[in-house]
Coordinates of all heavy atoms in Angstrom, one line a residue:
S101 N -11.5 48.2 9.7 CA -11.5 47.7 8.3 C -10.2 47.7 7.7 O -9.6 48.8 7.6 CB -12.5 48.4 7.5 OG -13.8 48.5 8.1
L102 N -9.6 46.6 7.4 CA -8.3 46.5 6.8 C -8.4 45.8 5.4 O -9.0 44.8 5.2 CB -7.3 45.7 7.6 CG -7.1 46.2 9.0 CD1 -6.4 45.2 9.9 CD2 -6.4 47.5 9.0
L103 N -7.8 46.4 4.4 CA -7.8 45.9 3.1 C -6.5 45.1 2.8 O -5.4 45.5 3.1 CB -7.9 47.1 2.0 CG -8.1 46.5 0.6 CD1 -9.5 45.9 0.4 CD2 -7.8 47.7 -0.4
F104 N -6.7 43.9 2.3 CA -5.5 43.0 2.0 C -5.6 42.6 0.5 O -6.7 42.4 0.0 CB -5.6 41.7 2.8 CG -5.3 41.9 4.3 CD1 -6.3 42.3 5.1 CD2 -4.1 41.7 4.8 CE1 -6.0 42.6 6.5 CE2 -3.7 41.9 6.1 CZ -4.8 42.3 7.0
R105 N -4.4 42.5 -0.1 CA -4.3 41.9 -1.4 C -4.5 40.4 -1.1 O -4.0 39.8 -0.3 CB -3.0 42.1 -2.0 CG -2.7 43.5 -2.5 CD -1.5 43.6 -3.3 NE -1.4 44.9 -3.9 CZ -2.0 45.4 -5.0 NH1 -2.8 44.5 -5.7 NH2 -1.8 46.6 -5.5
A106 N -5.4 39.8 -2.0 CA -5.7 38.4 -1.8 C -5.6 37.7 -3.2 O -6.6 37.9 -4.0 CB -7.1 38.2 -1.2
G107 N -4.5 37.1 -3.5 CA -4.4 36.6 -4.9 C -4.4 37.7 -5.9 O -3.7 38.7 -5.7
D108 N -5.3 37.6 -6.8 CA -5.4 38.7 -7.9 C -6.4 39.7 -7.5 O -6.7 40.7 -8.3 CB -5.8 38.0 -9.2 CG -4.8 37.1 -9.8 OD1 -3.6 37.3 -9.5 OD2 -5.2 36.2 -10.6
G109 N -7.0 39.6 -6.3 CA -8.0 40.6 -5.9 C -7.7 41.2 -4.5 O -6.6 41.2 -4.1
F110 N -8.8 41.5 -3.8 CA -8.7 42.1 -2.5 C -9.7 41.5 -1.6 O -10.7 41.0 -2.0 CB -8.9 43.6 -2.6 CG -7.9 44.3 -3.4 CD1 -8.1 44.6 -4.8 CD2 -6.6 44.7 -2.9 CE1 -7.1 45.2 -5.6 CE2 -5.7 45.3 -3.7 CZ -6.0 45.6 -5.0
V111 N -9.5 41.6 -0.3 CA -10.5 41.2 0.7 C -10.5 42.3 1.8 O -9.4 42.8 2.2 CB -10.2 39.8 1.3 CG1 -8.9 39.7 2.0 CG2 -11.3 39.4 2.2
L112 N -11.6 42.7 2.3 CA -11.8 43.7 3.3 C -12.0 42.9 4.7 O -12.9 42.2 4.7 CB -12.9 44.6 3.1 CG -13.1 45.7 4.0 CD1 -12.0 46.8 3.9 CD2 -14.4 46.5 3.8
V113 N -11.1 43.0 5.6 CA -11.2 42.3 6.9 C -11.6 43.2 8.0 O -11.0 44.3 8.1 CB -9.8 41.6 7.2 CG1 -9.9 40.9 8.6 CG2 -9.4 40.6 6.1
L114 N -12.6 42.8 8.7 CA -13.1 43.6 9.8 C -12.5 43.0 11.1 O -12.7 41.9 11.4 CB -14.6 43.7 9.9 CG -15.4 44.1 8.6 CD1 -16.8 44.1 8.8 CD2 -14.9 45.5 8.2
A115 N -11.8 43.8 11.8 CA -11.2 43.4 13.0 C -11.3 44.5 14.1 O -11.2 45.7 13.8 CB -9.6 43.1 12.8
S116 N -11.4 44.1 15.4 CA -11.5 45.1 16.5 C -10.1 45.7 16.6 O -9.1 45.1 16.3 CB -12.0 44.4 17.7 OG -11.0 43.5 18.2
G117 N -10.1 46.9 17.1 CA -8.9 47.7 17.3 C -7.7 47.0 17.9 O -6.6 47.1 17.3
P118 N -7.8 46.4 19.1 CA -6.7 45.8 19.7 C -6.2 44.5 19.1 O -5.1 44.0 19.4 CB -7.1 45.6 21.2 CG -8.5 45.4 21.1 CD -9.0 46.3 19.9
R119 N -7.0 43.9 18.2 CA -6.6 42.6 17.6 C -5.8 42.8 16.4 O -5.8 43.7 15.7 CB -7.9 41.8 17.3 CG -8.7 41.5 18.5 CD -9.5 40.3 18.3 NE -10.2 39.9 19.5 CZ -9.9 39.1 20.4 NH1 -8.8 38.4 20.3 NH2 -10.7 38.8 21.4
R120 N -4.9 41.7 16.2 CA -4.1 41.7 14.9 C -4.8 40.6 14.0 O -5.4 39.7 14.5 CB -2.7 41.2 15.3 CG -1.9 42.3 16.0 CD -0.5 41.9 15.9 NE 0.4 43.0 16.2 CZ 0.7 44.0 15.4 NH1 0.1 44.2 14.3 NH2 1.6 44.9 15.8
V121 N -4.6 40.8 12.7 CA -5.2 39.9 11.7 C -4.1 38.9 11.4 O -3.0 39.3 11.1 CB -5.6 40.7 10.5 CG1 -6.0 39.7 9.4 CG2 -6.7 41.6 10.8
D122 N -4.4 37.6 11.5 CA -3.5 36.6 11.2 C -3.6 36.3 9.7 O -4.6 35.7 9.2 CB -4.0 35.3 12.0 CG -3.0 34.1 11.8 OD1 -2.3 34.1 10.7 OD2 -3.0 33.2 12.6
T123 N -2.7 36.8 8.9 CA -2.7 36.7 7.5 C -2.6 35.2 7.0 O -3.2 34.9 6.0 CB -1.6 37.6 6.8 OG1 -0.3 37.1 7.3 CG2 -1.8 39.0 7.0
S124 N -2.0 34.4 7.8 CA -1.9 33.0 7.4 C -3.3 32.4 7.5 O -3.7 31.6 6.6 CB -1.0 32.2 8.4 OG 0.3 32.7 8.3
L125 N -4.1 32.7 8.5 CA -5.4 32.2 8.7 C -6.3 32.8 7.6 O -7.1 32.0 7.0 CB -6.0 32.6 10.1 CG -7.3 32.1 10.5 CD1 -7.3 30.6 10.6 CD2 -7.7 32.7 11.8
V126 N -6.2 34.1 7.3 CA -7.0 34.6 6.2 C -6.7 33.9 4.9 O -7.6 33.6 4.1 CB -6.8 36.1 6.1 CG1 -7.6 36.7 4.9 CG2 -7.3 36.8 7.4
G127 N -5.4 33.8 4.6 CA -5.0 33.1 3.4 C -5.4 31.7 3.2 O -5.9 31.3 2.2
A128 N -5.4 31.0 4.4 CA -5.9 29.6 4.3 C -7.4 29.6 4.1 O -7.9 28.7 3.3 CB -5.5 29.0 5.7
A129 N -8.1 30.5 4.7 CA -9.6 30.5 4.5 C -10.0 30.9 3.0 O -10.9 30.3 2.5 CB -10.2 31.6 5.4
L130 N -9.1 31.6 2.4 CA -9.4 32.1 1.0 C -8.7 31.2 0.0 O -9.0 31.2 -1.2 CB -9.0 33.5 0.8 CG -9.8 34.5 1.7 CD1 -9.2 35.9 1.5 CD2 -11.3 34.5 1.4
G131 N -7.7 30.5 0.4 CA -6.9 29.6 -0.5 C -5.9 30.4 -1.4 O -5.6 29.9 -2.5
V132 N -5.5 31.6 -0.9 CA -4.6 32.4 -1.7 C -3.6 33.1 -0.7 O -3.9 33.1 0.5 CB -5.3 33.5 -2.5 CG1 -6.1 32.9 -3.6 CG2 -6.1 34.5 -1.6
D133 N -2.5 33.6 -1.2 CA -1.6 34.4 -0.3 C -2.3 35.7 -0.2 O -2.9 36.3 -1.0 CB -0.2 34.6 -1.0 CG 0.5 33.3 -1.0 OD1 0.3 32.4 -0.1 OD2 1.4 33.1 -2.0
V134 N -2.1 36.3 1.1 CA -2.7 37.6 1.4 C -1.5 38.5 1.9 O -0.6 38.1 2.6 CB -3.9 37.6 2.3 CG1 -5.0 36.9 1.7 CG2 -3.5 37.1 3.7
A135 N -1.7 39.9 1.7 CA -0.7 40.8 2.2 C -1.5 42.1 2.4 O -2.4 42.5 1.6 CB 0.5 41.0 1.2
L136 N -1.1 42.9 3.4 CA -1.8 44.1 3.7 C -1.5 45.1 2.5 O -0.4 45.2 2.0 CB -1.2 44.7 4.9 CG -1.9 45.9 5.6 CD1 -3.3 45.6 6.0 CD2 -1.1 46.4 6.8
A137 N -2.6 45.7 2.1 CA -2.5 46.7 0.9 C -1.9 48.0 1.4 O -2.0 48.4 2.5 CB -3.9 47.0 0.4
D138 N -1.1 48.6 0.5 CA -0.4 49.9 0.8 C -1.5 51.0 0.8 O -2.6 50.9 0.3 CB 0.7 50.1 -0.1 CG 0.3 50.3 -1.6 OD1 -0.6 51.0 -1.9 OD2 1.1 49.7 -2.4
A139 N -1.0 52.2 1.3 CA -2.0 53.3 1.4 C -2.6 53.7 0.1 O -3.8 54.0 0.1 CB -1.2 54.5 2.1
S140 N -1.9 53.8 -1.0 CA -2.4 54.3 -2.2 C -3.4 53.3 -2.8 O -4.5 53.7 -3.3 CB -1.3 54.6 -3.2 OG -0.6 53.4 -3.6
T141 N -3.2 52.0 -2.6 CA -4.1 51.0 -3.0 C -5.4 51.0 -2.2 O -6.5 50.9 -2.7 CB -3.5 49.5 -2.9 OG1 -2.3 49.5 -3.7 CG2 -4.5 48.5 -3.3
V142 N -5.3 51.2 -0.9 CA -6.5 51.3 0.0 C -7.4 52.5 -0.5 O -8.6 52.3 -0.7 CB -6.1 51.6 1.5 CG1 -7.3 51.9 2.3 CG2 -5.4 50.3 2.0
K143 N -6.7 53.6 -0.8 CA -7.5 54.8 -1.3 C -8.2 54.5 -2.7 O -9.3 54.8 -2.9 CB -6.6 56.0 -1.4 CG -7.2 57.2 -1.9 CD -8.1 57.9 -0.8 CE -8.5 59.3 -1.3 NZ -9.3 59.9 -0.3
Q144 N -7.4 53.9 -3.5 CA -8.0 53.6 -4.9 C -9.1 52.6 -4.8 O -10.1 52.7 -5.5 CB -6.8 53.0 -5.7 CG -7.2 52.7 -7.1 CD -6.1 52.1 -7.9 OE1 -5.0 51.8 -7.4 NE2 -6.3 51.9 -9.2
V145 N -9.0 51.5 -4.0 CA -10.0 50.4 -4.0 C -11.2 50.8 -3.2 O -12.3 50.6 -3.6 CB -9.3 49.1 -3.5 CG1 -10.4 48.1 -3.3 CG2 -8.2 48.6 -4.4
T146 N -11.0 51.5 -2.0 CA -12.1 51.8 -1.2 C -12.7 53.1 -1.3 O -13.8 53.4 -0.9 CB -11.8 51.5 0.3 OG1 -10.8 52.5 0.7 CG2 -11.2 50.1 0.6
G147 N -11.8 54.1 -1.7 CA -12.2 55.5 -1.8 C -11.9 56.2 -0.5 O -12.3 57.4 -0.4
Y148 N -11.3 55.5 0.4 CA -11.0 56.1 1.7 C -9.5 55.9 2.0 O -8.9 55.0 1.6 CB -11.8 55.4 2.9 CG -13.2 55.6 2.8 CD1 -14.1 54.7 2.1 CD2 -13.8 56.7 3.3 CE1 -15.4 54.9 2.0 CE2 -15.2 56.9 3.3 CZ -16.0 56.0 2.6 OH -17.4 56.2 2.5
S149 N -9.0 56.9 2.8 CA -7.6 56.8 3.3 C -7.5 55.8 4.5 O -8.4 55.6 5.2 CB -7.1 58.2 3.8 OG -7.1 59.1 2.7
I150 N -6.3 55.3 4.7 CA -6.0 54.4 5.8 C -6.4 55.1 7.1 O -6.1 56.3 7.3 CB -4.5 54.0 5.9 CG1 -4.3 52.9 4.8 CG2 -4.1 53.4 7.2 CD1 -2.8 52.5 4.7
G151 N -7.1 54.4 8.0 CA -7.6 55.0 9.2 C -9.0 55.5 9.1 O -9.6 55.8 10.1
G152 N -9.5 55.6 7.9 CA -10.9 56.1 7.6 C -11.7 55.2 6.9 O -12.8 55.6 6.5
V153 N -11.4 54.0 6.7 CA -12.2 53.0 6.0 C -13.3 52.5 6.9 O -13.0 51.8 7.9 CB -11.3 51.8 5.5 CG1 -12.2 50.8 4.7 CG2 -10.2 52.3 4.6
P154 N -14.6 52.8 6.6 CA -15.7 52.4 7.5 C -15.9 50.9 7.3 O -15.6 50.4 6.3 CB -16.8 53.2 7.1 CG -16.6 53.6 5.7 CD -15.0 53.6 5.5
P155 N -16.5 50.3 8.3 CA -16.9 48.9 8.2 C -18.3 48.7 7.7 O -19.2 49.0 8.6 CB -16.7 48.3 9.6 CG -16.9 49.5 10.5 CD -16.6 50.7 9.7
P156 N -18.6 48.1 6.7 CA -17.7 47.8 5.5 C -17.7 49.1 4.6 O -18.6 49.9 4.7 CB -18.4 46.7 4.8 CG -19.8 46.8 5.0 CD -19.9 47.4 6.5
A157 N -16.7 49.2 3.9 CA -16.5 50.4 3.0 C -17.5 50.4 2.0 O -17.6 49.6 1.1 CB -15.1 50.4 2.4
P158 N -18.5 51.4 2.0 CA -19.6 51.4 1.1 C -19.2 51.6 -0.4 O -19.8 51.2 -1.3 CB -20.4 52.6 1.6 CG -19.6 53.4 2.5 CD -18.6 52.5 3.0
R159 N -18.0 52.3 -0.6 CA -17.6 52.5 -2.0 C -16.8 51.3 -2.5 O -16.5 51.2 -3.7 CB -16.7 53.7 -2.0 CG -17.4 55.0 -1.7 CD -16.5 56.2 -1.9 NE -16.9 57.2 -1.1 CZ -16.1 58.3 -0.8 NH1 -15.0 58.4 -1.4 NH2 -16.5 59.2 0.0
S160 N -16.5 50.4 -1.7 CA -15.7 49.2 -2.1 C -16.6 48.1 -2.6 O -17.6 47.9 -2.2 CB -14.9 48.7 -0.9 OG -14.2 47.5 -1.2
Q161 N -16.1 47.5 -3.6 CA -16.8 46.3 -4.2 C -16.3 45.0 -3.5 O -16.7 43.9 -3.9 CB -16.5 46.2 -5.7 CG -17.0 47.4 -6.5 CD -18.5 47.6 -6.3 OE1 -19.3 46.6 -6.5 NE2 -19.0 48.7 -6.0
Q162 N -15.4 45.2 -2.4 CA -14.9 44.0 -1.8 C -15.8 43.5 -0.7 O -16.1 44.3 0.2 CB -13.5 44.3 -1.2 CG -12.6 45.0 -2.1 CD -12.4 44.3 -3.5 OE1 -12.3 43.1 -3.5 NE2 -12.5 45.0 -4.5
P163 N -16.2 42.3 -0.7 CA -17.0 41.8 0.4 C -16.2 41.6 1.7 O -15.0 41.2 1.5 CB -17.5 40.4 -0.1 CG -16.5 40.0 -1.1 CD -15.9 41.3 -1.7
P164 N -16.7 42.0 2.8 CA -15.9 41.9 4.0 C -15.8 40.4 4.5 O -16.7 39.6 4.2 CB -16.7 42.7 5.1 CG -18.1 42.6 4.6 CD -18.0 42.6 3.0
L165 N -14.7 40.1 5.1 CA -14.4 38.8 5.7 C -14.6 39.0 7.2 O -14.0 39.8 7.9 CB -13.0 38.3 5.4 CG -12.6 37.0 6.0 CD1 -13.4 35.9 5.3 CD2 -11.2 36.7 5.7
L166 N -15.5 38.2 7.8 CA -15.8 38.3 9.2 C -15.5 37.0 9.9 O -15.7 35.9 9.4 CB -17.3 38.6 9.4 CG -17.8 39.8 8.8 CD1 -19.3 39.8 8.9 CD2 -17.3 41.1 9.4
R167 N -15.0 37.1 11.1 CA -14.7 35.9 12.0 C -15.0 36.2 13.4 O -14.4 37.2 13.9 CB -13.3 35.4 11.8 CG -13.0 34.2 12.7 CD -11.6 33.7 12.5 NE -11.2 32.6 13.3 CZ -10.6 32.7 14.5 NH1 -10.2 33.8 14.9 NH2 -10.3 31.6 15.1
A168 N -15.9 35.5 14.0 CA -16.2 35.8 15.4 C -15.0 35.3 16.3 O -14.4 34.3 16.1 CB -17.5 35.1 15.8
A169 N -14.7 36.2 17.3 CA -13.6 35.8 18.2 C -14.1 36.1 19.6 O -14.9 37.0 19.9 CB -12.4 36.6 17.9
P170 N -13.7 35.3 20.6 CA -14.0 35.6 21.9 C -13.5 36.9 22.4 O -12.5 37.3 21.9 CB -13.5 34.4 22.7 CG -12.4 33.9 21.8 CD -12.8 34.2 20.4
P171 N -14.2 37.6 23.3 CA -13.7 38.9 23.8 C -12.4 38.7 24.6 O -12.1 37.6 25.1 CB -14.8 39.4 24.8 CG -15.7 38.3 24.9 CD -15.4 37.2 23.9
G172 N -11.5 39.7 24.5 CA -10.3 39.7 25.3 C -9.2 39.6 24.5 O -8.3 39.7 24.0

């Protein structure tokens, strides 16, 4: 679970461990610029530290963004 700033808000992106999140693709899907949230913002918004945000973060008000991808 990765938290991104998305315009004036946030989006929680669920991605498998070895995959990278394409911020251009996420931004295009949402119609806003996105950037990875910093550690203090992740803790403040989700209630969890980086590396410990469960999918989806139950304390977060951010709806998760999901995209199916082929294995590999």
Side-chain angles (χ1 to χ4, degrees):
S101 302
L102 300 170
L103 187 71
F104 289 85
R105 289 191 172 277
D108 293 333
F110 298 94
V111 63
L112 187 67
V113 176
L114 306 180
S116 70
R119 298 213 179 258
R120 291 199 163 282
V121 174
D122 183 339
T123 55
S124 298
L125 186 63
V126 174
L130 298 175
V132 296
D133 290 332
V134 298
L136 194 59
D138 62 44
S140 63
T141 301
V142 171
K143 178 75 170 181
Q144 179 183 10
V145 172
T146 68
Y148 295 92
S149 297
I150 286 179
V153 180
R159 294 186 210 166
S160 173
Q161 299 299 311
Q162 310 312 313
L165 179 66
L166 304 171
R167 178 177 179 260

